[in-house]
Amino acid sequence: MIKVVCNGYLGKKVRIKCNTKDTTGDLKKLIAAQTGTCWNKIVLKKWYTIFKDHVSLGHYETHGGINLELYYR
């Protein structure tokens, strides 16, 4: 289990526990359950890299305590 911290551009901070084998789409669904938004509208970024829905978090080399940027379409 890793803990992912997502910082929204409006100052909202969301902390999610997930596995490295989970896909980014799964992470978006967990974030949507906490924030109350639609998971299709969530965009996750790390610097200039936009995370794709079908790729697992392990392929993006995410580790415990990583900070991701949370945007909405």
Side-chain angles (χ1 to χ4, degrees):
M1 292 291 269
I2 60 171
K3 185 182 283 188
V4 177
V5 179
C6 297
N7 296 318
Y9 63 93
L10 296 176
K12 185 162 186 134
K13 192 177 274 194
V14 181
R15 292 174 182 88
I16 304 290
K17 287 187 179 179
C18 59
N19 292 319
T20 56
K21 294 182 180 180
D22 291 343
T23 63
T24 307
D26 296 335
L27 178 62
K28 286 182 181 182
K29 289 176 185 174
L30 292 171
I31 293 169
Q34 274 196 352
T35 59
T37 59
C38 184
W39 72 274
N40 292 335
K41 304 288 183 186
I42 295 174
V43 177
L44 295 175
K45 289 184 180 180
K46 179 69 177 176
W47 288 90
Y48 293 105
T49 304
I50 298 174
F51 285 24
K52 306 288 184 189
D53 288 343
H54 64 281
V55 181
S56 69
L57 296 174
H59 285 97
Y60 285 117
E61 297 178 0
T62 57
H63 54 277
I66 191 168
N67 290 316
L68 299 177
E69 300 162 9
L70 176 65
Y71 295 99
Y72 303 102
R73 285 189 216 168

